[in-house]
Amino acid sequence: KTILYVKVDGEYRRVFILINTSVINISNLIDCFLIQYEPTLIAEEILPIKLVNNNFKESYNIWKSLNEIREEEFAFLQCPKKTLNEKYILCEFFDFSINGSFRPPTVLVCPTQNCSYIHLSDQIDQILGHLCSVTNAPISACHLYWTDSYDKRYKLRTNEKLPYLTRITIEMSAEWIDIYKVYDNINNSRDNSALTSLLADFFHEEPLDDDYHCLICSKLTKARQKSSLCLPLPQILIIQLKRFTYDIHSNDKIDTHISFPLYELDLKEYLVKNTNNQHENDLSTKYNLVSVSNHTGSLISGHYITYAKNVQDGNWYQFDDKVVKKLNNDNDIVTKNAYLLVYVRTTR
C-alpha cells in the first residue's frame, strides 16, 4: 500500500508499506506502518483520514476494511501525545487562488478549555520553520488565523485566549506557495512502485527522535539523519529488493511488481554534496543492468532463475538450471519475481 504520511513537524511524504494477506483493515495497516517506519510511536498516535485535494474530509474507523478505501484519498496523520484534558485540532494551509489547501493538514494538540496561543506556540513554530526552510520565505510571509466552533475566523495573536478553538489556518502569498508546490511535486509525485522511488526513500533525510548533543554549540538539539553515497562509486552495483517479510504475525513472500531501468540508472543525486563538484569530473554515475536474479515460489519452497546480458552480442538470456534460452523482448526482463539486480557502471 502507498500512503501519504504527514508528521507533526509539517514534513510529509508518500511511503510504501509492505503488507501480506493478513492485513485486511486500517488497524492492521497501521501496525505494519509502525513496524516499518515509526517503531517508537503507538497506534493511537496515527490518525487515518480521507484526504481529497489536500482537504480533510473525514477520519476513518480503524476497523474499516481496506477494500472500502481509495488509496489515492488515504493518509496517515501523526498526532502528538495528549492527556484526557486535551484535544486534537487540525492546522490547515490555505491557497486563495484555488480556494483550497496547498498541502495536507497537520495535527495540533491543545487544552479542551482555556486554550491560549502559548499552548500552541511551539507546535506552530515547528510548522512555520518547515514552511520557511522549504521556500526561504520570512516568517512574516505566513499569516495565521484561528476558527471557533461557530465557524468564525479571527487573526491569531500571540497574547490572546482562543475560546472554542476548532482549527488553525496558515496562509501564504502565491509566490511562496508556487515555490512550495515545486517541493511537493519533487517529493510526492514519484511512482512508488519504481526502483528510483525506493532509492529516493532510502536516501531520504529524516529527523531523529529525542535530542542529541551538538558538538558545535554543546547543547541538546534536534538532529537529522541522511545516508549518502561517496566517491568513488563501485564498478559493480548489486541491489537487493526486499521480497520477504518476517514479523510477529506472519512470514510471507512479497510479490509487488517493481519497475527498474535497464539503462542509465543515475546515482548522481545521492552523492555527498561537496563544493568542489568532484563527481562532475569523476567517472560516470550511471549504471546499466547486466543481470537479474529472480525468485519464484514461497518462503517454504521456491526456485531461482537468472537473466543475464551477453556483452558480445548484446542479447539477454534466461538461465534456468541447465536450460538456456534467448529473451526476445526487453520487457520480459522486468517482472514481479526480480530479487537481485546487478548493474555495471558506464564509461563516459
Side-chain angles (χ1 to χ4, degrees):
K1 287 288 183 180
T2 301
I3 302 295
L4 181 67
Y5 175 47
V6 186
K7 305 193 72 172
V8 293
D9 61 5
E11 294 194 1
Y12 63 99
R13 63 189 175 105
R14 294 195 176 276
V15 296
F16 183 72
I17 306 174
L18 302 174
I19 63 174
N20 53 43
T21 54
S22 67
V23 179
I24 60 175
N25 57 41
I26 294 178
S27 179
N28 300 148
L29 187 64
I30 290 175
D31 290 340
C32 291
F33 167 75
L34 294 176
I35 292 171
Q36 296 173 35
Y37 290 96
E38 295 284 11
T40 62
L41 301 183
I42 59 176
E44 288 73 20
E45 294 174 81
I46 299 297
L47 176 66
I49 68 166
K50 179 178 181 179
L51 193 69
V52 180
N53 295 325
N54 288 322
N55 295 306
F56 170 84
K57 295 300 181 181
E58 64 175 312
S59 57
Y60 286 124
N61 186 299
I62 62 171
W63 304 114
K64 191 176 183 70
S65 171
L66 295 178
N67 293 330
E68 302 175 35
I69 299 172
R70 296 182 62 183
E71 189 169 297
E72 64 271 20
E73 298 178 348
F74 194 21
F76 284 167
L77 305 186
Q78 181 188 1
C79 301
K81 290 182 172 61
K82 75 177 182 72
T83 66
L84 294 176
N85 297 321
E86 293 177 317
K87 66 178 181 180
Y88 290 134
I89 62 169
L90 291 182
C91 177
E92 299 177 330
F93 305 83
F94 198 75
D95 179 0
F96 276 112
S97 66
I98 61 172
N99 196 32
S101 299
F102 66 84
R103 55 145 291 155
T106 59
V107 178
L108 306 175
V109 62
C110 67
T112 53
Q113 295 181 344
N114 301 320
C115 179
S116 63
Y117 177 81
I118 194 171
H119 296 111
L120 299 166
S121 60
D122 287 345
Q123 300 171 77
I124 291 176
D125 286 348
Q126 196 174 35
I127 295 170
L128 294 180
H130 165 73
L131 293 174
C132 294
S133 66
V134 169
T135 62
N136 287 322
I139 289 291
S140 59
C142 302
H143 306 286
L144 281 68
Y145 301 88
W146 66 281
T147 304
D148 64 18
S149 56
Y150 301 103
D151 210 28
K152 290 185 178 180
R153 199 173 81 138
Y154 310 87
K155 188 172 181 61
L156 184 62
R157 305 182 190 280
T158 58
N159 59 350
E160 66 181 355
K161 295 187 180 299
L162 310 173
Y164 310 113
L165 173 67
T166 58
R167 69 178 177 272
I168 297 291
T169 305
I170 299 178
E171 298 176 4
M172 301 181 78
S173 63
E175 63 173 311
W176 302 119
I177 291 176
D178 289 343
I179 296 174
Y180 194 87
K181 286 179 178 178
V182 172
Y183 162 86
D184 176 75
N185 289 335
I186 292 174
N187 285 276
N188 296 293
S189 297
R190 298 187 179 97
D191 175 7
N192 285 278
S193 62
L195 176 63
T196 51
S197 176
L198 298 179
L199 288 171
D201 190 59
F202 181 83
F203 291 106
H204 179 76
E205 182 178 279
E206 292 182 309
L208 296 173
D209 296 316
D210 300 324
D211 292 334
Y212 287 77
H213 181 264
C214 176
L215 297 177
I216 298 176
C217 66
S218 297
K219 295 180 180 179
L220 288 177
T221 184
K222 295 295 182 182
R224 305 174 69 83
Q225 66 175 2
K226 185 182 188 305
S227 297
S228 296
L229 298 175
C230 296
L231 293 173
L233 291 175
Q235 182 65 24
I236 306 296
L237 174 69
I238 301 177
I239 299 176
Q240 177 180 335
L241 302 177
K242 186 176 180 181
R243 289 297 186 189
F244 308 99
T245 179
Y246 303 88
D247 56 45
I248 59 175
H249 302 293
S250 65
N251 302 325
D252 208 355
K253 170 78 180 293
I254 302 169
D255 288 320
T256 303
H257 185 281
I258 303 296
S259 61
F260 48 88
L262 274 63
Y263 306 99
E264 296 194 340
L265 171 66
D266 197 349
L267 301 182
K268 183 175 181 179
E269 66 177 291
Y270 310 121
L271 290 175
V272 173
K273 299 294 184 293
N274 95 50
T275 55
N276 297 323
N277 293 321
Q278 179 186 352
H279 62 270
E280 294 184 3
N281 302 316
D282 203 298
L283 298 175
S284 172
T285 58
K286 295 180 180 180
Y287 288 79
N288 291 337
L289 188 72
V290 294
S291 181
V292 181
S293 177
N294 303 279
H295 180 272
T296 58
S298 65
L299 287 177
I300 300 175
S301 62
H303 182 64
Y304 286 93
I305 297 174
T306 296
Y307 301 152
K309 188 174 185 178
N310 186 316
V311 295
Q312 295 182 344
D313 62 18
N315 293 318
W316 282 86
Y317 293 87
Q318 174 182 295
F319 296 83
D320 184 359
D321 291 337
K322 295 182 179 180
V323 180
V324 179
K325 71 175 185 179
K326 180 181 176 181
L327 298 175
N328 296 317
N329 194 325
D330 284 356
N331 293 331
D332 295 335
I333 301 167
V334 183
T335 73
K336 69 174 185 178
N337 297 318
Y339 182 41
L340 292 174
L341 310 176
V342 181
Y343 285 88
V344 172
R345 191 172 61 186
T346 64
T347 57
R348 289 190 182 277

